[in-house]
Amino acid sequence: MSGREVVALSVGGVRFVTRPCTLLQFPESRLARMLGGDDPEFKLVNGEFFVDRDGALFSYIMDFLRTLQVSLPPDFSDFQRLRREAEFYELYPLAELLGKEHLLKPRLEILEVRFFLQEMQAFFRIFGSCSSTVETLAEQITVLTGQLPGQGWSSPFPSQKPLIPLPLERPSHHDMVFQCGTDCSAGDRFVARYVSIKPDNRMLINGTNVLGLLIDTLLKDGFHLISTRTVSSDEKVECYSFERTQRPASLSIAANQHPESSGMVQARKSRVQKGK
């Protein structure tokens, strides 16, 4: 049977067509034994293997056999049922991955932007529940500084002198602080701070414009604005709260888990049975 170019299966009335090598990914599994005719659970009817199991869940098992990864849609919830199907087919590496349910479920991500205007300066502080998102955003934001002769907030363009990049303040892995605008230095000199947010290449000095670009960037990255409020009425600190749903991660089996040895299979089978 393994000499065929393709193999057809009817699982719970759902038809699947695949190559024998896909079903042989794990030689100790029941699907591999099916091809050799060594498992009476699988009946050969009119040239197709009939399996009285859940056909919808079997599509995820086929995807795992083809990619050696578990990648589930955000609204998937049948983890226990899918794990039982994996155990039925004796695909224990898949059953172990499905045991990491917390990694496969979508997660809600929260991000907060605080904005404060003071004379000709604007101050920003960004908090995020996911440190990698904050890190990515920090890589997109650039602050540059330079001196302007007698020009203030109203100057929309940087001077001809080279601007000096400033590092963002990172109080922790989950937040960042920066500012823009102009500050009187000495005499008629102003220190100006511009902000650029990739992929936009503009250098903005007006705090309201920077806030608008920042919000637009977050919305394009899949965040939703869920609330706005004033945190401090005295200082007029505005707070903008965003959230988005992170797609579940794709989990892969370790290289030493495939192909499986009999000892590895028996050890995993024992652990799975104990966990029932």
Side-chain angles (χ1 to χ4, degrees):
M1 190 63 69
S2 59
R4 289 186 176 185
E5 292 186 3
V6 295
V7 177
L9 300 91
S10 177
V11 184
V14 182
R15 191 171 188 267
F16 297 87
V17 179
T18 187
R19 295 181 300 170
C21 60
T22 301
L23 300 176
L24 291 170
Q25 285 278 26
F26 297 89
E28 302 285 351
S29 72
R30 296 186 73 176
L31 291 173
R33 297 202 303 271
M34 172 193 73
L35 292 182
D38 299 328
D39 197 317
E41 186 78 27
F42 303 89
K43 305 295 184 181
L44 190 61
V45 180
N46 297 326
E48 296 184 4
F49 287 102
F50 174 76
V51 189
D52 191 16
R53 303 294 294 190
D54 191 305
L57 293 178
F58 190 74
S59 64
Y60 299 112
I61 291 177
M62 285 301 304
D63 184 65
F64 170 75
L65 292 174
R66 289 168 178 145
T67 65
L68 300 183
Q69 292 184 335
V70 179
S71 183
L72 303 172
D75 58 349
F76 185 83
S77 59
D78 289 337
F79 291 95
Q80 294 302 318
R81 292 180 59 215
L82 182 55
R83 188 177 185 184
R84 283 200 303 269
E85 293 300 297
E87 293 169 5
F88 170 80
Y89 295 107
E90 298 182 8
L91 293 168
Y92 297 111
L94 174 57
E96 286 192 2
L97 290 180
L98 292 170
K100 302 175 182 178
E101 187 175 329
H102 63 289
L103 298 177
L104 293 167
K105 286 184 175 179
R107 293 179 296 167
L108 186 65
E109 182 179 356
I110 305 296
L111 192 137
E112 183 180 274
V113 176
R114 296 196 176 189
F115 173 67
F116 170 51
L117 280 175
Q118 185 178 48
E119 297 180 352
M120 294 185 295
Q121 298 183 83
F123 300 86
F124 295 83
R125 186 161 195 162
I126 301 175
F127 303 84
S129 61
C130 180
S131 60
S132 61
T133 297
V134 177
E135 183 66 35
T136 300
L137 190 58
E139 293 174 356
Q140 293 178 258
I141 297 175
T142 303
V143 179
L144 301 111
T145 185
Q147 286 192 335
L148 298 175
Q151 299 181 38
W153 180 274
S154 59
S155 175
F157 304 107
S159 64
Q160 297 300 316
K161 295 182 180 180
L163 298 176
I164 302 172
L166 293 176
L168 300 178
E169 294 182 42
R170 296 295 306 275
S172 74
H173 293 297
H174 290 272
D175 63 340
M176 73 178 82
V177 177
F178 62 93
Q179 68 187 79
C180 66
T182 56
D183 181 28
C184 182
S185 176
D188 61 347
R189 309 292 293 185
F190 288 85
V191 175
R193 294 193 184 205
Y194 300 89
V195 172
S196 176
I197 306 177
K198 298 176 182 177
D200 195 293
N201 57 9
R202 291 174 294 170
M203 290 186 290
L204 304 176
I205 194 173
N206 183 287
T208 303
N209 292 341
V210 172
L211 177 63
L213 178 58
L214 177 59
I215 291 175
D216 185 58
T217 301
L218 294 175
L219 294 177
K220 289 180 179 178
D221 283 343
F223 281 97
H224 301 279
L225 179 63
I226 56 174
S227 69
T228 61
R229 68 184 191 277
T230 301
V231 178
S232 171
S233 57
D234 295 333
E235 296 181 342
K236 295 183 179 179
V237 177
E238 299 175 12
C239 178
Y240 299 81
S241 298
F242 300 81
E243 68 177 28
R244 73 176 175 184
T245 301
Q246 286 187 316
R247 292 185 60 85
S250 294
L251 300 182
S252 304
I253 64 171
N256 60 1
Q257 289 181 274
H258 179 267
E260 297 186 88
S261 67
S262 298
M264 295 174 66
V265 172
Q266 292 300 324
R268 287 195 186 88
K269 186 173 183 179
S270 176
R271 288 200 298 272
V272 169
Q273 290 175 341
K274 289 180 181 179
K276 288 184 179 179

